[in-house]
Amino acid sequence: MSNLLKYLNFISGWVHQYRADCHTLMNQGLNRNAIYEKVKDLPFRLQTEVYELYQWRNGGKNSFIPHPDGWDLASFPSLEESVESAKDWDGSFNLS
């Protein structure tokens, strides 16, 4: 098991123990073949860690790990949302 999966499973356990109401807001993970089918037409290849992330969970429906100060600490879009964003991305970064 990779370090990423160890930490993601730790986070999942923490959420289940301390924020059980939030745990249901995470989408089920996808298998590797399902991920490949969704990303095969992208003009780049995904890193192993991205596959691991989406195998763990396919994004969150809402903020699922709330920060103590009231803002979301760790939500991420579903693979489908990420693929759509990647298709629309023009390759530039606007950091201002």
Side-chain angles (χ1 to χ4, degrees), residues 42-44 46 80-91:
L42 292 176
F44 52 85
L46 297 181
E80 296 81 5
E81 293 170 311
S82 296
V83 167
E84 286 306 310
S85 293
K87 288 178 180 176
D88 294 339
W89 185 51
D90 66 3

Side-chain angles (χ1 to χ4, degrees), residues 13-77:
W14 184 93
V15 171
H16 182 71
Q17 182 175 356
Y18 296 104
R19 296 294 303 205
D21 58 321
C22 293
H23 190 69
T24 59
L25 299 177
M26 291 187 279
N27 298 320
Q28 285 294 99
L30 303 169
N31 67 47
R32 194 167 184 84
N33 290 336
I35 295 169
Y36 176 77
E37 284 300 314
K38 293 177 186 301
V39 302
K40 67 182 179 183
D41 295 329
L42 292 176
F44 52 85
R45 295 177 57 183
L46 297 181
Q47 297 290 322
T48 300
E49 292 82 2
V50 177
Y51 275 90
E52 290 178 351
L53 178 66
Y54 284 106
Q55 286 176 294
W56 175 68
R57 294 285 185 255
N58 186 19
K61 295 176 185 169
N62 290 312
S63 304
F64 57 87
I65 303 175
H67 188 276
D69 292 333
W71 50 271
D72 174 38
L73 178 63
S75 65
F76 63 95

Side-chain angles (χ1 to χ4, degrees), residues 2-23:
S2 73
N3 282 337
L4 175 61
L5 287 178
K6 287 179 191 174
Y7 294 123
L8 291 173
N9 288 330
F10 175 82
I11 291 168
S12 182
W14 184 93
V15 171
H16 182 71
Q17 182 175 356
Y18 296 104
R19 296 294 303 205
D21 58 321
C22 293
H23 190 69

